[in-house]
Amino acid sequence: MTVVLAGLDEVRASVGTALGPTEWVEISQARLDEFAAACPGADVGWLLLSMTNLFMPEMVTVTGVSAGLNIGTGEIRFATTDLAPGTRVRARGSILSADEARGGVQTVIHIQVESDASPHPLVQVHALSRWLD
């Protein structure tokens, strides 16, 4: 389920808003192989971290702004787990903060990626976004 925020005033008022869950995405063997080829030696947690950018627009959309920018991450926590082909993952989160920033509002959104194979989050990240006036 996508939360739609109309403009910066709604972004400012959104602190505490729950986001998601997103739709499930199946992790295929081909996706795991392509990731391993692109990032030799990297743990599968990095694949899941990269997928938070896939999940973000499914969790929250901001209208009435000139741009929304991914400006990085804050805290990141990885679980130690293998990811078997066929495992399904999805994300959920919440808006932790919405602070004034040059040209707009900067948010910190806590995102956790979960799987249908584990009761614990596989990755948790504080995603930093800036929404411009």
Side-chain angles (χ1 to χ4, degrees), residues 13-48:
S14 69
V15 175
T17 300
L19 305 172
T22 65
E23 293 295 320
W24 290 105
V25 173
E26 185 174 329
I27 303 298
S28 66
Q29 183 64 55
R31 186 183 295 242
L32 291 168
D33 292 344
E34 290 167 2
F35 177 74
C39 304
D43 183 270
V44 72
W46 292 99
L47 168 63
L48 297 172

Side-chain angles (χ1 to χ4, degrees), residues 91-131:
R92 64 177 71 237
S94 62
I95 300 175
L96 298 180
S97 66
D99 299 313
E100 296 302 315
R102 186 178 200 164
V105 175
Q106 183 166 311
T107 56
V108 176
I109 299 176
H110 176 257
I111 301 171
Q112 62 182 38
V113 177
E114 59 192 28
S115 80
D116 60 359
S118 173
H120 305 290
L122 303 178
V123 172
Q124 297 184 66
V125 61
H126 289 175
L128 310 178
S129 298
R130 190 164 295 179
W131 311 95

